[in-house]
Amino acid sequence: MESTVLSLRIDDELLDRLRHHAARRGMSVQDYVVRTLMRDDFDERFKAAVVETEKFYGLT
C-alpha cells in the first residue's frame, strides 16, 4: 500500500489525550490516529451500504 505524509497542527491538550489513549493500547500516536481514522472511514462506508441495502429492499 502506498502512503503519503499528512502533517497537522493540534493543541497540547489533545496531543496529551492521544498519547494517553495510544499508550493504553501499546501503540504510537501515529498508529492510534491512523487506526481511528480507518475505523471511522469503515463506519461511514458501512452506514452507506446499509442505507443502500434498505433502499434496495424497500425498507426505508
Side-chain angles (χ1 to χ4, degrees), residues 14-55:
L14 176 57
L15 181 57
D16 287 340
R17 289 197 317 265
L18 290 172
R19 283 182 180 138
H20 178 74
H21 292 301
R24 283 191 299 167
R25 290 164 179 79
M27 304 169 74
S28 68
V29 172
Q30 177 179 334
D31 288 342
Y32 177 78
V33 170
V34 168
R35 287 188 184 223
T36 300
L37 292 171
M38 289 170 60
R39 185 179 62 238
D40 186 59
D41 179 58
F42 172 81
D43 290 347
E44 290 299 318
R45 289 182 291 134
F46 183 76
K47 286 176 191 175
V50 168
V51 168
E52 289 301 315
T53 300
E54 289 176 344
K55 284 181 187 176

